[in-house]
Amino acid sequence: MKALAALRAPRRTEVPAAVADNGIDVEILDPREGQDPSGWAKFRKLAAPQPMWDYGLLRLEAWLSRNPPVLAVMREGGRVLGACVVMLCDPVRGSVFAPGPSARGSRLSPRWAEVYLPWFSGHPAVVFRERVDADSRRELLRIFERRLAEYAGLGLLGVIYRAMPSDIAELVAGRGRARREIDPTTVLHNRFGSVDDWVGSLRAPVRAVVRDALGRLDSLDVTTGKGRKDLDAAELATLLNEHRARQDARAWRSGQRARIAGLHLDTRSPIPTAYLAEFLRRPTVLTRTYREPSGRLVAFQVLFDTPNGLAMPYWAALPRQQGGRPRLHLDGYAHAVRELIDSGRPELTAGRTLLDLKADLGFTTRTLHSVAVPRPVMGR
């Protein structure tokens, strides 16, 4: 592997993994077992700074999901070059939580794997060090597929790479592999000097609506902060899961589930309280809450900050019939734009739903693909 050989500069040796495939190995780890992988903290700083790649959060996610994730760590000589988060999906499990790591079930039971971040679908579940070139990434992903087939057993039907950017989709596509473009993720590039500049860039009818919405917060208690420990995570998780359930229900009624809520074959689980509590306490995670004077939670927004940009993974609000405020989400977007400008980050990403609304607010889109790889061609 010539391109990988070029990376073999002198360095501190980490605890080596088993060596295979010309000195390259992919280790499949269940986060519920053992400690953080060797070299994981250093790799995260370089290639996966988003909080959902924290091994402790992956552990919580695995314990509290019906289709628990495993982590595939790609190494060369003990150094981590890349990683994937993979859900092992059981078609008959339904809403029941998965068995513990010591009782994974028969290796002959039919199931499939999804390379996917189910609660952050606008972010790819495959990451690499920047210096690993395209040919090396392709070879690492083929080795990953072979290791995954060995790990999951003969019952594995195949693997689906979901919501991948075009460069990753190109690497995993090929003969016998079905590739299709799916709903894009939304991106706002940082080209503004102030929130007023952003509002002024919008079309006149949208601009008027946004300005009107931003003047209607007097009766609400709005609190914003990073790493917040004052929140009732159960309260927020309930609001978030109800919000998502309404989005799905509207999509079914409109006959456009594939366009609006078709982010999954319903393989994801509800957001657990314990996971959300830990996520919101991370120092790079900013939470904005909207409450009535009585203390009732009306809405909340979550942003997280990385050197590559800000992301808005969560917004949830009460519907109008339960006392929700119309157009409150526009204040959330204005707040996100303010944070984008103040942080000097290059972009803000805001997920894969409500594409028309976000286009009106100045967002562009980034193409995403899914690639299905049946068992007979995995690793080829």
Side-chain angles (χ1 to χ4, degrees):
M1 191 181 290
K2 295 180 180 178
L4 284 172
L7 295 176
R8 292 176 181 150
R11 59 188 178 271
R12 180 176 59 84
T13 303
E14 301 172 30
V15 178
V19 177
D21 291 286
N22 297 324
I24 307 301
D25 185 62
V26 178
E27 185 180 13
I28 308 290
L29 301 166
D30 188 326
R32 296 171 294 182
E33 300 179 301
Q35 301 301 311
D36 293 25
S38 171
W40 186 244
K42 181 178 180 181
F43 174 77
R44 278 202 62 221
K45 288 180 181 179
L46 294 171
Q50 300 89 346
M52 56 273 201
W53 290 90
D54 178 271
Y55 203 67
L57 283 173
L58 284 171
R59 181 178 294 114
L60 269 177
E61 182 180 353
W63 277 116
L64 299 173
S65 298
R66 58 179 177 168
N67 292 310
V70 295
L71 180 67
V73 180
M74 308 171 190
R75 299 180 185 275
E76 186 248 357
R79 183 165 63 154
V80 181
L81 300 181
C84 305
V85 171
V86 192
M87 291 192 300
L88 296 177
C89 301
D90 187 328
V92 300
R93 184 171 295 134
S95 61
V96 179
F97 285 127
S102 62
R104 291 191 181 96
S106 172
R107 289 166 56 83
L108 299 177
S109 299
R111 52 185 170 168
W112 71 95
E114 294 191 8
V115 181
Y116 188 44
L117 298 175
W119 300 331
F120 306 94
S121 66
H123 299 267
V126 178
V127 288
F128 290 100
R129 285 180 183 254
E130 186 176 347
R131 291 177 58 202
V132 181
D133 67 18
D135 289 341
S136 300
R137 293 180 183 202
R138 181 180 288 106
E139 186 166 353
L140 286 166
L141 287 165
R142 294 301 191 271
I143 298 171
F144 152 70
E145 291 174 7
R146 294 196 288 271
R147 294 290 180 272
L148 181 64
E150 295 166 2
Y151 178 88
L154 293 176
L156 185 68
L157 304 175
V159 58
I160 303 171
Y161 295 88
R162 304 196 63 177
M164 295 291 154
S166 298
D167 59 333
I168 298 295
E170 186 66 30
L171 297 177
V172 296
R175 186 175 181 180
R177 297 162 177 251
R179 173 180 175 178
R180 70 181 180 91
E181 186 174 331
I182 61 172
D183 286 351
T185 193
T186 49
V187 183
L188 182 69
H189 297 287
N190 190 357
R191 52 187 176 84
F192 311 105
S194 67
V195 173
D196 285 342
D197 283 352
W198 167 68
V199 174
S201 74
L202 306 178
R203 293 186 298 111
V206 179
R207 187 162 62 240
V209 170
V210 172
R211 284 177 174 159
D212 180 67
L214 298 184
R216 294 178 177 269
L217 296 177
D218 291 347
S219 61
L220 292 176
D221 176 17
V222 182
T223 305
T224 305
K226 289 186 176 181
R228 289 180 63 177
K229 299 179 181 179
D230 62 318
L231 300 169
D232 179 347
E235 178 186 39
L236 271 63
T238 297
L239 184 62
L240 179 58
N241 287 319
E242 289 176 351
H243 184 92
R244 287 187 162 182
R246 287 194 302 273
Q247 282 188 324
D248 278 1
R250 283 196 298 269
W252 279 117
R253 287 195 298 270
S254 69
Q256 297 185 25
R257 180 175 175 81
R259 174 170 173 254
I260 299 175
L263 311 181
H264 49 79
L265 303 172
D266 225 9
T267 53
R268 55 179 192 172
S269 308
I271 300 290
T273 294
Y275 182 93
L276 190 61
E278 286 300 316
F279 188 85
L280 299 181
R281 291 187 184 116
R282 302 289 150 151
T284 59
V285 174
L286 185 149
T287 307
R288 184 172 176 88
T289 50
Y290 301 81
R291 295 186 183 273
E292 295 176 340
S294 65
R296 184 190 190 202
L297 181 67
V298 175
F300 77 96
Q301 175 197 47
V302 176
L303 299 169
F304 63 79
D305 184 15
T306 74
N308 296 326
L310 293 181
M312 187 171 76
Y314 299 140
W315 167 269
L318 289 175
R320 290 191 189 186
Q321 58 268 34
Q322 294 180 20
R325 305 297 178 90
R327 298 174 177 169
L328 188 58
H329 60 285
L330 296 176
D331 177 77
Y333 283 106
H335 166 65
V337 171
R338 185 177 298 108
E339 290 294 324
L340 176 66
I341 295 167
D342 290 348
S343 67
R345 300 306 190 195
E347 65 180 32
L348 165 70
T349 57
R352 298 175 52 210
T353 58
L354 304 174
L355 301 182
D356 292 342
L357 165 70
K358 293 170 189 174
D360 282 342
L361 297 177
F363 284 78
T364 59
T365 58
R366 181 169 295 150
T367 302
L368 296 176
H369 300 260
S370 287
V371 181
V373 184
R375 176 65 179 257
V377 300
M378 286 178 64
R380 298 181 184 177

